[in-house]
Structures are given as C-alpha cells and as structure tokens.
Amino acid sequence: MKIKLLCLIIISVVFLSNKGISQVQVSYTGSRKNLQTNVVEAVRFTYSNYSKQNIYYTHYSIFRKVKASKSDTIYSIDFDFDKSNNSIKISQFDWKANQYYSKTVDFKPLSALSRKSNFEPKYCVKNYILNDTLISMTNDENASIFFTIDDTTNAKISLHQLVTYDGNYRFDLDKFRKSSLTAHLSHARDYWDWLKEGQTQADHNIKRVRDSILIAQRAALQVKINDEILNINSDKNYELDKLTKKLDDVKKLPDTIANAKAQELFTRRMDKIFSEYLSGTQCSKTEITGSYKFYVYPNQTVSIVKQPPMFLMDWRVAQQFSIIDTLIKKIPLEKTEVSICSEDPYNIIFQKHLSRSESLKPEIIIMDFKFDSVFKTTLDSAQIRIKSICNTKFPVTTTYTYPFTYLTKSEWGIWTLSNKKIKKYKDSLIDNKKNIDQFYSERPNAKNGRYNVRLNTTILNNRTYGPDLDSVNLKYKYWTRIGFMVGTFISNDGKFTTGADATTGEIYYWNLSLIYHHIGVFGGMHSNYGKSSLPQSDADSTISYLKNYTEAGLYVAPGKFFYFKLGIAKYTTINKNSAGNAINESKSIIMPIVGGSFMFPVFQLEGGYNFALKYPYVMAGFNIPINF
C-alpha cells in the first residue's frame, strides 16, 4: 500500500514539473452574437495559463451551456507567448466545424528595455497588429481579435473579443476596461521619450504634466461623451415607446380595404366563376342584387358574408349559388401588411444627436478621436433596433368586396317568316345567326307566316347573355287564296227565293275572291238577268224586276280562318205590269253588304246581310290556298 502511494506522489510531481505552475480554471459568462441575424445569446468560458521553458501558455474554452463541460466546447483559443523569440502564436479551433487556424505575431515587450518602467506595462493587440496606444480602439467592436497583454513578466493575457473565421459569430469575453488606458498611455510616452537622446529631465517633467493634463481633458471629454450616449439611448427608448404605441393602434385598426391591384385580381376571378355558372338563360324572371364580402384575418383565416341569404332565392338559382359558394373558398387572397413607421425614427434620433454634439466635435478632434467612431456603436445599435421594427410589415384584417346583379327575363315576341327572311313583327330583319339557327332548330319545316317566339335573356353585372330562343309557336301561316262561292238570299218568311217573283223567285248569285295573307278583295254578280223578281211594291198588279246586279268589296281577317266581309251591292229595277209590259226603269240602287266568312283550306262558308236587297244571304264554295 505504501509503495503504491509513493508511486502516485512521484507521478504527480513529474506531471507538475512538466506543466509548470498551473492555475485553476474558473467559469465566466460572456456572449455570442450572430452577425447575420443580430441574435445575442449567453455563453460560458474558462481561462487558464501555465509556463514551460520560457513559453507562457494561455488557453480559452467557450461553451454554449451554462455548466461548462468539455463535451459542450464550441470554440477554443490558445496563446503561446515565446519570450525568447519575442513572438505570440495564436491558435483557434472551431469544434463544430472541425476547423483549425493558426497565426504568429512578432512582439517586443517594453519590459525588455534596459530602462525599467516604474509601473505595470499594458499592451493591446487588435487584428494581429500591436498598438502602443488604445485610443483608436476604445469604441471599436469590429476587431477580428482583441486581447490585452496585462503583464509581460507573468504573461497574463486577457481575450476581449473574437470573430470566427467564417464571419458568422462574434464572441465578447473579458470586458476591456478603459481604466487600463491611463497607465498604458503614460508608459508609452515614457518609452518614446526614453528613445530620444539628449532630452532633459525638465522637458520630461513638462511632458509628464502635459500628459496629466491631457488625461484629465480626456476624462472630462469622456464624461460628455457618456452623457451624449445616454441622451442617444434616451431618444432611442422614446422613439421605441412611440413605435410600440403605434403597433397597438395598428392592432385596433378597423378592417382595411384591399389594395387596388389585389381587388382587381379578386374581381376578375369572381367574374369568371359567376359567368361560368350564371350566364345561362332560362324561361323565368329573376332579379337579385347582392354582394359578397371576404374578411382575411391576420392569421390567414377567411370568413365570407353573402347578401341576400340563400333561403331568399329561387331553388334553381340557389343551387347554382351553392356551387359558386364552394368554388370561391379556393380563391387565393392577399393579406394587407402595414408599416408603423410613417417617417424614419432613427433620422430624428440622429438629427438630435448632431444638434447636441456639435460643440463636442472640436474637442473630440483635438483629442485625436474620430468623431464618427466615438458614437458609432451607440448609433448603430439604435439604428439596427429601429430598422428591425420599421422594416417589419404587420398584417391587418383585409376586406374584399364583390357586388353583383343577376337578372333573368323571358319575353314573347312575334316574328314573321316570308320567303326565308325573318323579321320582327312590324320591325327590322333578324340578322342574329344564333337566333335564326335556334328558330329553325325548333321549326325545321317552317312555312311563311307569323310565329310566337320566346326569348330568354340574362344580365349579369351589366353584361348581357342572350337572347336565346327556346320556343316557337305558329300564330298563323301566310295564305294566298283564290276562291269561288255561290250564294242565295233568304226571304223574310225564311224561305229561299227560287221563282220568278217574290214568292217563287229564282234569286241566286256568285262571286270570286283573291286574298293575300289577311286581306283580300271579292266581286260577283247575279246569275239570272231579267228573270228574277223583287217583292211587289204594292197590292196592284205592277211587278219590279231585278236588273244588272253586281257586288264588290274587301275581306279582312282578325285571326287564322275568320274574315270580315265589307262591300257594296248595286242594281237597277224595271217596273212591269201583269202583262209583262215595262212601265218605267227605276234608278240604280247602291247599298252596303256586311258579313262574315270562314275560310278553311279548300272549303269556305259565308253569311251576312245585303242592305241593297234587304235580305240575309248565305254562300258556300271552295278556294285554292297557296303559302306565299
């Protein structure tokens, strides 16, 4: 047991002799910033150093988790300070990308001078370039690497900032304290004074006083700079509060109408669906004026309100609208996004800053500061924060509206067909080929005549579809009739007169007629000249005989088969005694004839009253019909 313990002690001593004097690792908190997205997250890091054969080793390990563990290492940096060769080797290892980088920096520390400084030297390295003064770096946060050699005797190196080789991340570790500047600046002045030969102690003391004054002026200026930085941050917070209030107001905004381009595209898509399902014509009368209103909410959900409701529509129309309601749900709708920045808040901050810092500009330039870089970090931070809000579009509830008018009507009209030409009744010719084709589709063998036709029209959003013809009924054909009829009169006692006198007379006649469509002419005469007699004018033996009877007039038809007859009859009479001798010849008599005629194809009948002879009459005959 004692032998094993002794061996363990020996091994430990050998190990420590090889490692030199080690320091215990302590875990610290730093940050990692994504330079692409500006997202900042906390990291942990450890620091350790040791020396061996005049080489001082400093090691940094960076972890993502709060509890530092070797398995969670994401980045490591080693500084090998070789005091013999006056060089620093910097090694970086990206554990996630499994990549290694190395660079060596030449370095000649002031502590190697023959004249020893009376205070602890401070040195700074930025981007692998040694700097005697930190003035140009005090506000610079863009170094690829930034570390401080606090003590060249014990090789105490502090890593402040590191940007990964891929440029994606920046680590901020040990915070650089500006209080280190005072000692460093004084040491640098001593160094350059020491190099100048022949410089008197008095001059040296004067410069030391000047340096003290310069340091005091820098400190006073830094107070003013810090005050301005506070003012910039205050302005930034004020503008951010205003933006927050505007954002709350945006969330309370009423519905926003879609922009003109989006509304136009939406209207075209709705028109296409409506015309596809409602442009057909039908034999009914419908009139609907309504609208659709679409609400597109920020979460992309859509609600649709339709007026009038479907239950107020005819069932056939409601069925078509039911299909439309299904299809319109698939229409893509663009949501409206608004910016809460009507003006650039950062410009307000920047202009206030320029106004306040105008008096600081000469002081900053005298102190060898760059005016633009002094406030750059603070201004950039404000600009990034504000632009991230101003460049963001916030969705609001968007409305799309589609008003519509749907009208269907069905009308009967009269068309006439004559020699293959169709025209509206008492109107112009029909030249609509579609309607003509529909007419012959309903009546392939249509003849000349008048037809009742039904025309259906649909008006959808001020666009007319149709008219479409869906029914054709014959009103009547156009007939040209050549007719012949024979008739006789009826005596007052209801008997036909067939003798030579009023009691036994032989009075009958004939006429010819020519009728074109619904109007025609006729003419006729007595068939037994000199033999037919009229009733006696008195009780004596004198008899009146009929002579030269003729009639003529017009036929006018209000319908298909029935015609009114209107004409005149003319005749003269001769008075004779019982012996047959003429006594005298009376004057001609002209009186009207009225009647009605039924003219069927081929056969026709007629009856009426002859005012000239003062008898009713009847006629019968035939006709030759021609569809012309």
Side-chain angles (χ1 to χ4, degrees):
M1 181 66 181
K2 292 182 179 180
I3 295 175
K4 291 182 178 180
L5 182 59
L6 180 60
C7 291
L8 182 60
I9 294 172
I10 293 173
I11 292 172
S12 300
V13 170
V14 172
F15 177 79
L16 291 173
S17 64
N18 290 332
K19 296 292 289 184
I21 301 173
S22 299
Q23 293 182 352
V24 179
Q25 288 188 341
V26 180
S27 175
Y28 301 94
T29 301
S31 65
R32 181 176 76 164
K33 181 176 183 179
N34 189 319
L35 299 180
Q36 308 301 322
T37 63
N38 292 324
V39 175
V40 178
E41 59 181 339
V43 296
R44 301 289 292 179
F45 69 92
T46 58
Y47 161 87
S48 64
N49 71 329
Y50 65 92
S51 62
K52 180 181 178 181
Q53 297 178 356
N54 209 30
I55 298 177
Y56 295 83
Y57 301 92
T58 303
H59 176 79
Y60 277 84
S61 292
I62 304 174
F63 313 89
R64 287 193 62 181
K65 295 186 178 181
V66 175
K67 185 177 181 181
S69 173
K70 185 175 181 181
S71 61
D72 296 323
T73 306
I74 56 175
Y75 219 85
S76 61
I77 307 94
D78 288 289
F79 299 92
D80 300 343
F81 185 9
D82 187 345
K83 295 187 66 174
S84 300
N85 295 323
N86 292 323
S87 65
I88 301 176
K89 180 182 179 182
I90 306 171
S91 303
Q92 302 179 49
F93 188 76
D94 188 336
W95 289 80
K96 297 299 180 183
N98 196 26
Q99 293 177 332
Y100 173 79
Y101 309 96
S102 177
K103 188 176 181 104
T104 301
V105 179
D106 294 329
F107 178 62
K108 185 176 182 181
L110 294 179
S111 58
L113 299 175
S114 59
R115 177 181 173 184
K116 186 177 180 181
S117 175
N118 294 326
F119 41 81
E120 184 182 69
K122 307 279 184 180
Y123 304 97
C124 172
V125 179
K126 171 196 171 188
N127 296 339
Y128 307 105
I129 300 175
L130 292 173
N131 294 271
D132 271 337
T133 67
L134 299 180
I135 296 174
S136 63
M137 299 167 31
T138 52
N139 290 287
D140 194 341
E141 294 184 1
N142 298 308
S144 60
I145 188 167
F146 178 17
F147 63 90
T148 303
I149 308 171
D150 294 328
D151 189 344
T152 55
T153 303
N154 296 320
K156 183 181 178 183
I157 296 179
S158 298
L159 176 61
H160 306 297
Q161 190 180 96
L162 172 71
V163 176
T164 58
Y165 264 71
D166 58 12
N168 289 331
Y169 295 96
R170 187 187 74 201
F171 295 102
D172 291 295
L173 305 179
D174 278 344
K175 184 176 181 182
F176 177 72
R177 294 170 177 79
K178 296 177 183 177
S179 60
S180 303
L181 282 176
T182 303
H184 179 74
L185 178 61
S186 178
H187 182 86
R189 291 291 185 184
D190 285 343
Y191 173 72
W192 293 113
D193 287 345
W194 176 78
L195 287 178
K196 294 179 181 179
E197 296 181 359
Q199 187 168 355
T200 63
Q201 184 64 35
D203 292 336
H204 176 72
N205 292 335
I206 291 172
K207 288 185 178 181
R208 290 294 298 270
V209 172
R210 289 177 179 174
D211 288 342
S212 299
I213 295 173
L214 181 61
I215 292 171
Q217 289 175 339
R218 288 180 183 275
L221 178 59
Q222 189 63 51
V223 172
K224 296 179 181 180
I225 291 174
N226 291 340
D227 289 341
E228 177 56 24
I229 290 174
L230 290 175
N231 289 331
I232 293 173
N233 287 329
S234 176
D235 291 341
K236 177 187 73 174
N237 293 333
Y238 176 73
E239 294 298 329
L240 289 175
D241 289 341
K242 287 171 60 178
L243 293 179
T244 301
K245 186 178 182 304
K246 286 185 178 180
L247 180 57
D248 292 337
D249 293 339
V250 165
K251 293 178 180 179
K252 299 175 183 177
L253 280 177
D255 302 336
T256 302
I257 299 174
N259 64 71
K261 185 177 180 181
Q263 176 67 45
E264 181 183 1
L265 179 60
F266 165 76
T267 301
R268 288 203 305 267
R269 288 169 171 165
M270 290 289 288
D271 284 343
K272 182 178 180 182
I273 295 174
F274 265 63
S275 63
E276 183 175 353
Y277 288 93
L278 294 177
S279 60
T281 59
Q282 54 187 334
C283 57
S284 65
K285 183 177 181 181
T286 305
E287 185 173 356
I288 299 175
T289 300
S291 66
Y292 282 86
K293 195 167 187 179
F294 288 65
Y295 295 86
V296 184
Y297 299 107
N299 60 0
Q300 288 293 342
T301 59
V302 179
S303 67
I304 304 174
V305 177
K306 180 176 67 175
Q307 293 293 340
M310 193 175 296
F311 63 83
L312 297 179
M313 302 178 185
D314 177 80
W315 69 271
R316 289 168 295 188
V317 178
Q319 189 175 24
Q320 294 299 98
F321 272 95
S322 178
I323 299 174
I324 291 173
D325 291 347
T326 301
L327 294 176
I328 62 177
K329 292 178 181 178
K330 300 177 182 178
I331 295 178
L333 298 173
E334 178 183 336
K335 66 179 180 180
T336 301
E337 295 180 327
V338 298
S339 172
I340 61 175
C341 298
S342 56
E343 58 183 349
D344 186 4
Y346 173 73
N347 186 55
I348 297 174
I349 297 172
F350 186 71
Q351 294 301 324
K352 288 182 178 180
H353 158 67
L354 290 181
S355 176
R356 288 191 301 261
S357 60
E358 188 65 29
S359 60
L360 292 177
K361 194 170 185 178
E363 298 181 47
I364 292 174
I365 294 174
I366 290 174
M367 294 299 167
D368 294 331
F369 286 114
K370 292 181 179 179
F371 178 77
D372 294 337
S373 64
V374 169
F375 303 104
K376 185 177 186 303
T377 300
T378 305
L379 290 172
D380 286 351
S381 175
Q383 186 180 36
I384 291 172
R385 180 71 184 282
I386 288 175
K387 280 193 174 183
S388 67
I389 297 175
C390 288
N391 293 339
T392 301
K393 299 292 186 178
F394 298 94
V396 295
T397 300
T398 310
T399 60
Y400 292 82
T401 304
Y402 183 76
F404 66 90
T405 300
Y406 177 63
L407 174 67
T408 64
K409 58 182 179 179
S410 183
E411 297 176 330
W412 285 96
I414 298 176
W415 287 6
T416 62
L417 174 62
S418 178
N419 299 326
K420 297 184 179 180
K421 293 183 179 180
I422 303 175
K423 71 175 185 178
K424 295 180 181 179
Y425 182 56
K426 298 181 180 179
D427 206 340
S428 58
L429 287 173
I430 303 295
D431 57 2
N432 187 319
K433 186 178 183 304
K434 177 182 176 183
N435 288 157
I436 294 173
D437 292 342
Q438 289 170 340
F439 178 88
Y440 282 110
S441 177
E442 293 290 326
R443 287 276 179 170
N445 301 315
K447 304 296 183 181
N448 290 342
R450 288 185 183 176
Y451 294 85
N452 290 322
V453 297
R454 183 170 63 194
L455 296 170
N456 303 321
T457 305
T458 295
I459 301 175
L460 180 61
N461 294 335
N462 297 322
R463 183 176 180 181
T464 301
Y465 298 88
D468 291 329
L469 186 150
D470 72 341
S471 181
V472 178
N473 298 321
L474 177 64
K475 188 175 179 65
Y476 50 79
K477 290 182 181 180
Y478 282 160
W479 291 113
T480 298
R481 304 172 190 268
I482 301 174
F484 175 78
M485 286 194 295
V486 176
T488 186
F489 295 96
I490 302 173
S491 63
N492 289 338
D493 56 4
K495 297 179 181 180
F496 291 101
T497 57
T498 57
D501 52 32
T503 57
T504 61
E506 300 173 354
I507 303 177
Y508 60 94
Y509 63 99
W510 56 269
N511 67 29
L512 293 174
S513 61
L514 176 63
I515 298 176
Y516 179 73
H517 296 184
H518 285 265
I519 189 168
V521 296
F522 70 89
M525 62 179 58
H526 190 270
S527 63
N528 227 339
Y529 300 119
K531 293 185 178 181
S532 296
S533 62
L534 293 175
Q536 295 180 0
S537 59
D538 47 34
D540 59 19
S541 58
T542 300
I543 301 174
S544 296
Y545 289 88
L546 184 68
K547 184 180 180 181
N548 297 333
Y549 176 84
T550 58
E551 65 180 24
L554 298 175
Y555 282 112
V556 178
K560 290 184 179 181
F561 305 109
F562 181 74
Y563 288 77
F564 286 113
K565 181 178 182 180
L566 181 61
I568 58 173
K570 177 183 177 182
Y571 68 91
T572 59
T573 60
I574 299 176
N575 295 323
K576 294 182 179 183
N577 56 24
S578 59
N581 298 318
I583 300 174
N584 61 2
E585 184 174 331
S586 67
K587 294 181 179 180
S588 297
I589 297 175
I590 300 174
M591 295 293 286
I593 301 173
V594 295
S597 178
F598 287 95
M599 295 186 183
F600 303 100
V602 180
F603 179 71
Q604 58 191 50
L605 292 174
E606 185 178 309
Y609 189 83
N610 191 318
F611 287 93
L613 298 178
K614 300 179 181 180
Y615 282 117
Y617 70 91
V618 292
M619 301 185 76
F622 64 90
N623 62 73
I624 301 173
I626 303 173
N627 183 230
F628 176 74

